[in-house]
Amino acid sequence: MNATLLKGLRWATIAIGAVGYSVLAHYSSATSAATTFPSLGVAVSLAPSLIILLLLAWRSPRRLAMSLVCVGVGVLLWQFWGDLEQNFSWVYFLQHAGTNVMLAAVFGTTLAGEKKPLCTRFAEGVHGTLGADLVHYTRHVTLAWTLFFLAVGLASTLLFLFAPIEAWSIFANFLSFPLILLMFAAEYLVRLRVLPNMEKHSIMDSMLAYWKTPASPNSR
């Protein structure tokens, strides 16, 4: 099996898993299962956080300490499982809105002071030293992503607090990722218009190059 096929299977598995999780999250939170099978809602809502915790524990050089943390989390879950069954929709909400607010903070904080905007760092990973026009453009792109994530977090909050849970679930589980894809497409079209002569690279190329490039002292 060649590398290309393996890569395709890996991405297909990730996509199927993401779609499957969204469907299961919607089923457990916005259908009759929310009241008839609340344990499913608790399990699905906590699954991403617990998987991340277990991976961190497995890869940590301090496995004993992390194992104790996992045991502590398990005890807390056992102790408060009944409360979680009555309020697991809040776990879903806090994960969705919290993730978007966190991403807004990740992008937005790089716009402060003398820091280098995050999208500028992405672009440098692909293009090297940037001209003034591209630096100016990538700063605005960083701002655009900051506002985008804030808007999604705000929309999630308003829908959760004031709309039926079904409406919030559809937005959080089925519309959030397409909105991100739409944002990528909009940025690409704007880039073609504003910087028509710039060498074409995908955002994934930029991000991979960025993560492979050590951060410079001036980028913080």
Side-chain angles (χ1 to χ4, degrees):
M1 187 177 295
N2 59 44
T4 302
L5 181 57
L6 281 174
K7 185 177 180 180
L9 288 174
R10 186 182 304 118
W11 282 108
T13 301
I14 292 173
I16 292 171
V19 172
Y21 178 83
S22 295
V23 171
L24 195 56
H26 179 75
Y27 171 75
S28 64
S29 63
T31 70
S32 58
T35 54
T36 59
F37 196 14
S39 289
L40 176 64
V42 178
V44 176
S45 66
L46 291 175
S49 299
L50 294 178
I51 289 173
I52 291 173
L53 176 62
L54 291 174
L55 288 175
L56 290 175
W58 178 256
R59 301 185 63 178
S60 173
R62 300 178 178 177
R63 286 191 180 178
L64 178 58
M66 289 299 294
S67 297
L68 292 175
V69 171
C70 292
V71 171
V73 171
V75 171
L76 288 173
L77 289 177
W78 177 79
Q79 182 72 27
F80 294 101
W81 191 264
D83 295 326
L84 288 171
E85 286 185 331
Q86 298 176 26
N87 300 284
F88 66 85
S89 60
W90 280 90
V91 180
Y92 280 125
F93 163 67
L94 292 173
Q95 284 185 156
H96 184 259
T99 297
N100 281 281
V101 171
M102 180 190 69
L103 288 170
V106 168
F107 280 81
T109 53
T110 64
L111 294 168
E114 299 299 320
K115 294 181 180 179
K116 186 174 293 183
L118 190 56
C119 290
T120 303
R121 295 166 67 181
F122 288 159
E124 284 180 340
V126 172
H127 301 284
T129 302
L130 306 180
D133 56 342
L134 190 49
V135 170
H136 180 75
Y137 174 77
T138 53
R139 182 176 184 83
H140 281 79
V141 172
T142 303
L143 175 61
W145 277 106
T146 301
L147 296 176
F148 170 81
F149 288 122
L150 281 176
V152 173
L154 177 60
S156 179
T157 301
L158 293 175
L159 285 172
F160 185 81
L161 293 178
F162 301 112
I165 190 64
E166 293 83 0
W168 175 84
S169 180
I170 290 172
F171 175 78
N173 292 310
F174 300 123
L175 296 183
S176 292
F177 186 66
L179 285 174
I180 291 175
L181 295 180
L182 184 61
M183 181 68 175
F184 277 132
E187 186 278 321
Y188 181 74
L189 293 175
V190 170
R191 194 193 326 159
L192 289 179
R193 183 176 181 84
V194 175
L195 301 169
N197 297 320
M198 189 181 79
E199 186 179 358
K200 306 300 184 296
H201 286 282
S202 70
I203 186 67
M204 187 58 66
D205 291 335
S206 301
M207 293 178 70
L208 290 175
Y210 165 71
W211 290 120
K212 292 176 181 178
T213 303
S216 65
N218 294 328
S219 64
R220 294 181 177 87

